Amino acid sequence: MKMKWAKTFWVCLLMTAMIGVLSACGQSDNTNTASGNTGSTGNTEQKQVVLSFMTTWSESDPFTGVYYKNAMAFEKANPDIKLDIETIPYNDYPVKLNTTAAGGNLPDLILMIGGGSMFEQIARSGALMPIDEMMGSWKEDFLPSSKIKEFNVDGKQYGIPGEVSYATVIYYNKKILKDAGYTEFPATYEAFKAMVKDLKAKNITPIAYGNKTGSVLLASLLSPLNERISGPDLYAKIKSGEQKFTDPDFMNALKDIKELSDMGAFNVDLNSVDNVQATNLFLSGNSAMYIDGSWGAKQISKDKAADFEVGFAVFPQIEGGKGSMSTMPGATNQGVVLNAKLDDAKKAAAEKFLQFMYSEESYQNIIRDGNMVPANVTAPADIDPLFKEMTGVLAGVKEITPVYDIVMPATVVTATKNGLQGLTTPGGSTPEAVAEELQKELGQ
Amino acid sequence: MQMFLRHKWIIAAGLIPALVIYTMFSIYPILSSVYYSFFKWDGFSPKQWHGLQNYVNLIGDGVFWQSIRNNLYFVLFSVLGEIPLGLYLAMMLNGKLFRRDGIFRTVFFMPVVISTIVVSLIWNMFYNYQFGLVNTALRAVGLDHWAQNWLGNPGLAIFVLCIVVVWQYTGLYMVIFLAALQNVPSEVLEAAELDGAVGIKRTWHIVVPIIADTIFASVVLCISGALRAFDLIYIMTNGGPSHSTEVGATYMFSQTFSSMKYGYGSAISTAIIIISFGLIIISQFILRSLKR
C-alpha cells in the first residue's frame, strides 16, 4: 500500500514538472517578444506603426522588383512606419487573397494585381476602405480618373494602379521573318494567317505560347480576336444578355483559334509549358513569334542574346470586323488597397504610403523599369531601348478596352481557360461545345 | 504501469489533448464542409440555401465523373504497380545477393524522401516535348514518330502521371515489405526448403501468406494515398489540358478557389469522402474474403 502511494506521488511530481517546463517555455517566449517590442519602440522617439502588407512584390522578380524597391525607399524615408511584408508567388496570389478575404483575415495593406470581379466582390463585402477623402493628393491632370477607373467600385475609389499593360503584343524574331521573306509585319489578319501557313510549311514553329495556366490564350489571343471582330463592347453585351456566347460574334473568335491550332500555328506543347519556357523557346530561335502581354518584354529584354533582334507588332486588322488597330485590350495593375478596419494611426501611415508609392518619382522608377504608367509623367532619359521601341510601336493605340477576366465572373473565366485549352488540344473540344458551356456557366 | 491500467481516467486524460486537436482540425472542418455543401456561396456575399441542388448538379457534371475516373486510374496503378514492384524489390534486396548492400535500399527509397514539388519538376523536364529526356532518347534511336507531347495529350497524360506516382512511392512499400520479410523466421524457410519448396513456389506459398497482413495494410495505405493525390498533378499539369488530368482534389480546388463556388466545392469534397469510404470498405471486404 505504501509503495503504491509513493508511485502515485512520483508520477504526479513528474507530470507537474513536465507541465511546468512546458508552460515555462511558453512564458519565456512571451516575455522575449514583449521585451523585443519595447526595445524596438524605445529606439524611435514616437511609437512605430507597423503595417502588415500582403503582396507579390519581391526584390528579385523582374516584374515587381521596382515596386519592392519603391516600398523599401518609403521605409527608409519614414523610419516611424514599418512594413511587415508577406510575399506570395504570383500564381498562388488570387487563391490566397480570396481565402484570406473570405475568412475575414485581410492584412492592413493588400495588393490588388488588377481590378476585376474578385476585387469588386471583396470591395462590396465592405472589407476594404474607400480612399476618396485621400484623393486630393492626386490632381486630375496628373492622374486622369479614366485611367484609374478599374479600381473604382460603385463610385468609390479603393486604390491607384501602378502600371498600364496591354494584353497582346506580338514579339517576333526579325531574322527568321526576314529569311522567310517578310520584311514588314502583316497588317491584316488574312496576311497574318498566310504568313503562319508559310512558316509552318518551312518547318518553323510560327508562334510560341505558354498556356499551362490557361490565362495567356485568354488574354492574348481571345481578347484581341473578340475586339477586332466585334468591337470594344462585346463582353458588356454578353454580360447584360444582349448577346450570347453562342452568337456568331463570339463563335467566330473561337473558330479562328481552332483554325490557327489546326494549321499548326502554335508550339505542340503550348498547354504544358509556362510563359518562361515559351519565352525561352522564342529566344532560342525555335519559334518565329511569341505572343504575350506588354509585360513579356521585360523577360525578353533580360534573357535575350545580344545579337537577337526582336520586333514588335500590334495584333492585325480583320477585314469586315468592327474593331480597329488603334484599340487594344488592356488593364491597369498593381494597386495597393486598405483594410476597412484600420485605426487612425495606421490609416495616416497608409495614406503616406500611398502618396509615396504613386508619386511622380515612383512612377518614373516604374517607367525606367520598363512599364507604362497611368499617370502623366515625363519619361526619364535612361529607359531600356527595347522598351522604348515597343512603346513606339504601341503609340498608335489610343483606346483601351477591358480584358475578359476583369469583366466576366470567375466561374466563366475558369471555364473559358479550360475551353481554350480544349480547343487547342488535338482531339479536344469544338467551338460549339465551348460556347455552350460558357453560356451555361454565365446563366448559373 | 499497473497503476495506469487500474486508473483508466489517467489514460482518458492523456487522450483528451489529442482528441481536442483532432476534433478541431479534422472532424469540425469535415462537418462544416458538409454544411456548406447545402448552400450557394461565393465566399463573400451571404450564403443562399440551395438544398440538394449542388449534389444534383454534381451528378450531372461530366468533369466530376472524369476526375473520379482519373482517381480510380491512380488507385489501380498504385495497387497493381507499387505493391507488386515493392514486394519484388524487397525480395531482391532481402536475397543473398544484395543483403549487405545498403546502397540499393537508399537508391530505391530516395524518391519517397524527395519533395513532391521537386519530383514534379524533374519529371516535367523528362516529359518536355522539345528538350525532354524521353523524347530525346526516342529521337536518338530513330523513333521520331513515337516522340509525344506526353503531358499535353489528353488520352495519355493521366497514365504518364501514373508512372510518376508509381516511381515515387514504390520505395515506400519496398521498405515496409523489407521489414516484414526480415521478420519471417528462418526455421520456416529452411523447413520449406527441405520439403522442396524453392523459388517462386516458396515465395507464393510460404512467404506471401506469412506477410499477408502487411500486404493488406499496404493496400489500404495505397488506396487512400492515391485518392488523396493532389500536389503532383497540381504542379505537373494543373488538371489540364482542359480537365483531362483532373482528379477529385484538383477539381474541388479549382471549383472552390478559382471559380469561387465554395458551396459546390464543398459538395465535391463531401462526395470524395463518401467515394473514398466506399472504396476502402470494398477493398477491406475483398481482402477479408481473400484471407479465408
Side-chain angles (χ1 to χ4, degrees):
Chain A
M1 200 62 196
K2 209 178 173 189
M3 275 298 284
K4 197 182 146 195
W5 280 111
K7 246 187 204 168
T8 317
F9 172 74
W10 284 116
V11 167
C12 285
L13 192 70
L14 189 69
M15 279 172 97
T16 341
M18 275 165 72
I19 290 165
V21 167
L22 285 172
S23 54
C25 276
Q27 237 167 26
S28 74
D29 222 30
N30 283 342
T31 47
N32 269 350
T33 49
S35 66
N37 275 344
T38 46
S40 59
T41 44
N43 289 342
T44 52
E45 279 163 28
Q46 309 153 280
K47 204 165 178 289
Q48 198 180 37
V49 182
V50 179
L51 291 170
S52 55
F53 180 26
M54 184 171 84
T55 182
T56 63
W57 301 350
S58 78
E59 196 166 12
S60 53
D61 178 19
F63 300 102
T64 61
V66 60
Y67 294 98
Y68 187 86
K69 279 170 205 150
N70 280 347
M72 288 301 107
F74 167 77
E75 260 197 332
K76 213 170 172 191
N78 296 277
D80 54 330
I81 302 172
K82 185 167 168 20
L83 295 171
D84 178 13
I85 297 181
E86 183 190 6
T87 304
I88 317 282
Y90 175 83
N91 282 332
D92 301 331
Y93 193 76
V95 171
K96 172 82 179 171
L97 172 63
N98 183 4
T99 41
T100 38
N105 290 324
L106 284 176
D108 301 332
L109 302 172
I110 309 110
L111 171 74
M112 287 290 162
I113 297 176
S117 53
M118 190 186 289
F119 160 59
E120 284 167 16
Q121 229 166 2
I122 298 173
R124 288 198 179 112
S125 76
L128 304 179
M129 182 185 285
I131 56 164
D132 293 302
E133 51 185 276
M134 306 176 186
M135 289 305 292
S137 322
W138 291 276
K139 299 274 171 295
E140 178 75 21
D141 57 342
F142 174 66
L143 199 68
S145 52
S146 65
K147 294 263 180 80
I148 58 174
K149 61 175 189 278
E150 282 179 358
F151 286 83
N152 191 310
V153 182
D154 303 332
K156 287 181 202 146
Q157 194 72 33
Y158 287 92
I160 295 165
E163 66 183 59
V164 178
S165 50
Y166 293 139
T168 314
V169 175
I170 302 176
Y171 305 87
Y172 60 92
N173 187 326
K174 280 185 179 164
K175 190 173 171 300
I176 291 184
L177 285 201
K178 212 200 249 158
D179 290 350
Y182 299 91
T183 45
E184 288 256 315
F185 197 86
T188 67
Y189 187 67
E190 284 304 318
F192 173 74
K193 265 199 308 202
M195 180 180 79
V196 165
K197 242 182 212 158
D198 185 30
L199 287 170
K200 187 70 196 168
K202 290 183 172 133
N203 227 353
I204 302 164
T205 303
I207 307 169
Y209 261 119
N211 192 44
K212 187 174 168 184
T213 57
S215 50
V216 186
L217 278 185
L218 178 72
S220 308
L221 188 58
L222 182 68
S223 288
L225 277 172
N226 281 330
E227 197 282 328
R228 296 292 184 263
I229 294 173
S230 325
D233 46 3
L234 176 70
Y235 299 153
K237 278 183 186 164
I238 289 179
K239 228 181 139 187
S240 69
E242 200 180 316
Q243 276 228 20
K244 282 185 175 161
F245 283 114
T246 43
D247 286 346
D249 267 17
F250 191 81
M251 280 294 292
N252 281 337
L254 293 182
K255 280 180 185 156
D256 280 336
I257 294 174
K258 177 93 181 144
E259 187 188 7
L260 281 176
S261 169
D262 287 347
M263 68 168 84
F266 312 127
N267 47 322
V268 175
D269 53 356
L270 82 158
N271 289 322
S272 338
V273 297
D274 59 23
N275 262 335
V276 178
Q277 288 169 300
T279 309
N280 288 338
L281 205 63
F282 171 66
L283 290 179
S284 58
N286 279 302
S287 79
M289 290 172 267
Y290 168 68
I291 305 185
D292 199 358
S294 55
W295 53 84
K298 275 194 218 178
Q299 192 82 37
I300 289 176
S301 154
K302 193 169 138 267
D303 291 350
K304 81 179 183 69
D307 58 343
F308 187 96
E309 275 188 82
V310 51
F312 305 91
V314 178
F315 200 85
Q317 184 78 42
I318 292 181
E319 293 97 295
K322 293 181 202 132
S324 83
M325 280 174 80
S326 65
T327 309
M328 179 91 93
T332 48
N333 305 92
Q334 310 291 350
V336 175
V337 299
L338 276 49
N339 190 326
K341 290 180 213 140
L342 295 189
D343 60 30
D344 285 344
K346 280 189 171 182
K347 195 174 157 187
E351 185 170 1
K352 263 191 189 168
F353 179 70
L354 291 186
Q355 280 169 358
F356 187 94
M357 290 304 290
Y358 302 102
S359 63
E360 176 148 13
E361 200 190 333
S362 295
Y363 274 128
Q364 280 181 335
N365 286 338
I366 297 170
I367 296 177
R368 198 174 284 124
D369 199 56
N371 306 285
M372 290 166 280
V373 296
N376 296 320
V377 292
T378 43
D382 53 338
I383 56 172
D384 182 11
L386 197 75
F387 170 65
K388 205 171 173 186
E389 200 186 326
M390 182 174 81
T391 44
V393 172
L394 295 175
V397 176
K398 297 293 176 228
E399 201 187 329
I400 298 182
T401 60
V403 290
Y404 193 84
D405 38 349
I406 295 231
V407 187
M408 292 294 171
T411 53
V412 178
V413 173
T414 313
T416 315
K417 286 178 181 175
N418 278 304
L420 291 180
Q421 284 197 337
L423 276 186
T424 51
T425 304
S429 359
T430 60
E432 288 79 11
V434 172
E436 264 166 41
E437 170 76 25
L438 295 184
Q439 194 59 41
K440 209 180 91 197
E441 277 299 335
L442 187 67
Q444 265 183 13
Chain B
M1 196 60 220
Q2 259 180 3
M3 187 201 70
F4 278 121
L5 288 179
R6 216 166 294 160
H7 298 273
K8 293 250 165 61
W9 61 269
I10 297 187
I11 299 177
L15 280 175
I16 281 175
L19 203 67
V20 167
I21 291 173
Y22 185 70
T23 314
M24 255 166 60
F25 293 105
S26 220
I27 307 281
Y28 171 71
I30 290 175
L31 290 181
S32 60
S33 168
V34 173
Y35 169 73
Y36 290 144
S37 71
F38 297 114
F39 291 93
K40 186 176 181 178
W41 187 36
D42 63 6
F44 299 100
S45 41
K47 297 191 270 288
Q48 291 168 34
W49 177 254
H50 218 205
L52 287 173
Q53 192 56 43
N54 279 332
Y55 290 94
V56 174
N57 292 345
L58 192 65
I59 287 167
D61 184 347
V63 180
F64 172 69
W65 292 112
Q66 189 182 2
S67 68
I68 294 299
R69 197 180 66 207
N70 285 340
N71 257 133
L72 292 179
Y73 283 140
F74 259 56
V75 170
L76 272 181
F77 264 76
S78 301
V79 174
L80 300 180
E82 287 163 21
I83 302 249
L85 259 176
L87 191 57
Y88 176 72
L89 288 178
M91 284 181 170
M92 292 279 285
L93 292 184
N94 197 40
K96 289 189 188 87
L97 210 55
F98 300 109
R99 197 160 207 176
R100 278 153 194 276
D101 252 335
I103 186 153
F104 289 102
R105 226 171 298 168
T106 317
V107 167
F108 291 132
F109 192 65
M110 195 86 94
V112 186
V113 192
I114 304 176
S115 133
T116 310
I117 297 178
V118 178
V119 170
S120 313
L121 293 177
I122 292 174
W123 280 86
N124 247 350
M125 286 181 208
F126 277 176
Y127 286 139
N128 183 293
Y129 178 72
Q130 270 89 14
F131 319 107
L133 185 74
V134 180
N135 281 351
T136 312
L138 287 174
R139 287 182 189 124
V141 295
L143 292 169
D144 285 48
H145 55 289
W146 281 21
Q148 286 271 346
N149 176 24
W150 298 102
L151 292 170
N153 184 335
L156 215 61
I158 189 71
F159 301 106
V160 166
L161 288 173
C162 284
I163 293 174
V164 183
V165 173
V166 172
W167 177 84
Q168 196 186 1
Y169 287 111
T170 298
L172 176 69
Y173 298 104
M174 178 202 78
V175 166
I176 295 176
F177 292 141
L178 198 59
L181 286 177
Q182 276 161 1
N183 281 333
V184 174
S186 54
E187 300 88 36
V188 177
L189 294 180
E190 278 161 24
E193 222 160 288
L194 285 180
D195 288 341
V198 284
I200 197 102
K201 223 181 210 173
R202 188 181 73 170
T203 306
W204 189 246
H205 290 289
I206 311 291
V207 178
V208 169
I210 290 177
I211 63 165
D213 280 333
T214 311
I215 296 180
F216 292 157
S218 304
V219 169
V220 174
L221 265 181
C222 215
I223 293 175
S224 64
L227 286 170
R228 267 205 321 259
F230 174 78
D231 38 8
L232 187 94
I233 294 175
Y234 185 71
I235 297 163
M236 285 188 74
T237 63
N238 203 2
S242 74
H243 296 306
S244 59
T245 56
E246 206 87 71
V247 290
T250 56
Y251 189 50
M252 183 274 289
F253 187 85
S254 83
Q255 285 297 303
T256 315
F257 300 115
S258 303
S259 294
M260 300 208 274
K261 295 197 261 190
Y262 280 73
Y264 192 57
S266 301
I268 297 175
S269 32
T270 311
I272 295 173
I273 293 175
I274 295 170
I275 292 171
S276 309
F277 253 126
L279 271 178
I280 297 280
I281 289 170
I282 292 171
S283 67
Q284 286 286 19
F285 187 74
I286 294 175
L287 290 177
R288 224 169 270 161
S289 62
L290 267 180
K291 227 172 177 175
R292 275 195 209 121

